[in-house]
Amino acid sequence: MSLSTGMAASVMPTEGAERRKAAAMEEFLVRHPLAAGEGVARLVSADGEEVEVPAQMFDVLHQISAMLARGDGVAISAISRELTTTEAARLLGMSRPTLVRLLENGSIASHRVGSHRRLFLRDVLAFRQRQMEERRKSYEALMWESDALGFTDDV
């Protein structure tokens, strides 16, 4: 399963022995996390050849094994470093017009290639991270206010 830019690969939901293997791998990765800057993960071939697994790939492997263990399918898509507005909007889970408004008000950096807008992947991912942090802070503030007002989950 090799990918080139714009290509995608998918793994359909697993059953039986394959699902049990994915679950065993997920359990192993949970028991042996790879902390940033600590430890090294390695892949070892049947003939003993080893290669170091970068931390970023280790995290992806962990996520994929968890999905397959649940019986979910997985789709992997190559993303180029420079995105069109359509690609960026899809990555952010929003419409293209909404993204264009964010570009026009400066919320996300972009540049022009001829008459077309382009975004760097790092800028799109940084925006997504900022959005997630803002949502988390808003949620925490709402929970504090809910507690202060005496609201409970009891029914």
Side-chain angles (χ1 to χ4, degrees):
M1 168 174 45
S2 67
L3 297 175
S4 60
T5 302
M7 300 294 289
S10 61
V11 177
M12 300 320 302
T14 56
E15 293 301 325
E18 290 300 313
R19 189 167 174 184
R20 285 190 295 277
K21 288 177 187 177
M25 183 171 203
E26 163 63 4
E27 290 171 12
F28 177 86
L29 294 172
V30 167
R31 286 193 318 271
H32 303 284
L34 187 62
E38 295 181 22
V40 175
R42 298 188 182 284
L43 285 177
V44 182
S45 70
D47 65 2
E49 185 179 348
E50 294 184 16
V51 64
E52 187 173 322
V53 179
Q56 189 175 31
M57 288 182 72
F58 184 89
D59 292 340
V60 170
L61 185 59
H62 188 183
Q63 292 173 35
I64 290 171
S65 64
M67 291 174 202
L68 293 175
R70 287 192 308 264
D72 295 337
V74 176
I76 302 169
S77 178
I79 301 172
S80 61
R81 292 184 171 276
E82 193 172 83
L83 305 173
T84 65
T85 52
T86 301
E87 292 168 328
R90 189 175 309 128
L91 182 63
L92 293 171
M94 63 179 60
S95 70
R96 188 181 166 284
T98 298
L99 174 70
V100 170
R101 280 194 299 277
L102 291 169
L103 299 177
E104 288 171 351
N105 73 21
S107 296
I108 306 174
S110 68
H111 58 282
R112 291 205 178 261
V113 175
S115 62
H116 301 283
R117 294 178 197 256
R118 295 291 184 262
L119 298 88
F120 288 115
L121 177 60
R122 68 175 175 267
D123 295 329
V124 174
L125 295 177
F127 174 80
R128 185 171 69 178
Q129 183 65 34
R130 286 191 309 270
Q131 269 196 319
M132 289 181 354
E133 289 172 8
E134 287 173 18
R135 286 180 183 146
R136 183 186 52 77
K137 287 178 185 176
S138 295
Y139 177 75
E140 288 175 356
L142 182 61
M143 295 308 295
W144 280 107
E145 188 171 331
S146 175
D147 288 347
L149 293 171
F151 296 134
T152 64
D153 290 337
D154 298 334
V155 178

